[in-house]
Amino acid sequence: MTRVPRFKKLAMAAVAGVVTPVLLAGCSEGKPQAVPELPARVCWGAFSGSEISPFLPAGEKVTVSDGDFVLEESLDSETCSVDVDGITRFTAHATFREFERSIEWSSWDSRDPRPLDVGKGGVIWDGGGATHFACEPSTSPSDPGKYIALYVHTLGGVDREKIRSAVPGLLKEFMTFAQRELKCGGGSAGR
């Protein structure tokens, strides 16, 4: 009689030894373990893939959607999105405005934005940041100029401190890229 319980214990241990790894393997196979590899340059070439990668979750496939970076008329805008497995996780956006007074960030008020010393009127919030610069300043309040509003935004569970430390550099890089692409004058383009 003492042999039967011992046999049962051994049989149960053997079954558990086989079933547990199979179950665990099944769980881990369905979930991606790494961020998909990004191209060397993303979003019109404005950012390096390694700069954007920390803002992305693990997944199977990454897709970068952007077009030509052309801002020629008022209200023209360009958007780049970086998606992981079909879900947008990072965006960069640029808009041409003729009048500087038309650039405001009130749509981000619910995110409790704080001032950011990048470009003009820069702000940062937990998920991203925004700024603008004068490509061609207006000569009077009624004459149009060429003002470019920029923002970057992350979507989905990125550490706040990581965003706060990275956004200023991303916006500076985006601004430098936009100034170069749009052939903005060096003296008026910064602050």
Side-chain angles (χ1 to χ4, degrees), residues 15-32:
V15 169
V18 171
V19 171
T20 301
V22 170
L23 290 174
L24 291 175
C27 291
S28 64
E29 284 178 20
K31 293 192 177 194

Side-chain angles (χ1 to χ4, degrees), residues 84-105:
V84 176
D85 296 336
I87 300 170
T88 301
R89 297 301 186 167
F90 176 85
T91 60
H93 183 79
T95 303
F96 172 165
R97 301 285 184 166
E98 288 184 335
F99 296 97
E100 189 170 27
R101 65 182 175 266
S102 68
I103 298 173
E104 51 88 26
W105 307 115

Side-chain angles (χ1 to χ4, degrees), residues 26-174:
C27 291
S28 64
E29 284 178 20
K31 293 192 177 194
Q33 298 299 316
V35 173
E37 189 171 333
L38 289 165
R41 303 295 301 175
V42 296
C43 295
W44 316 285
F47 309 105
S48 72
S50 62
E51 289 173 311
I52 304 305
S53 185
F55 301 112
L56 305 178
E60 296 294 326
K61 182 181 177 190
V62 68
T63 307
V64 179
S65 301
D66 59 7
D68 295 331
F69 192 82
V70 179
L71 300 172
E72 295 176 343
E73 298 179 19
S74 184
L75 300 180
D76 276 357
S77 66
E78 294 293 340
T79 300
C80 169
S81 66
V82 180
D83 300 355
V84 176
D85 296 336
I87 300 170
T88 301
R89 297 301 186 167
F90 176 85
T91 60
H93 183 79
T95 303
F96 172 165
R97 301 285 184 166
E98 288 184 335
F99 296 97
E100 189 170 27
R101 65 182 175 266
S102 68
I103 298 173
E104 51 88 26
W105 307 115
S106 64
S107 63
W108 299 107
D109 283 352
S110 66
R111 301 236 179 208
D112 191 28
R114 294 159 306 280
L116 178 65
D117 191 22
V118 175
K120 291 178 139 187
V123 294
I124 187 170
W125 58 87
D126 287 342
T131 192
H132 76 278
F133 66 91
C135 187
E136 295 172 14
S138 59
T139 56
S140 75
S142 59
D143 290 331
K146 186 174 185 178
Y147 297 90
I148 307 301
L150 306 172
Y151 81 79
V152 295
H153 189 67
T154 63
L155 301 126
V158 180
D159 179 75
R160 290 178 185 177
E161 289 305 316
K162 187 184 289 189
I163 294 170
R164 284 187 195 131
S165 65
V167 164
L170 289 174
L171 280 173
K172 285 178 187 175
E173 194 166 352
F174 195 11

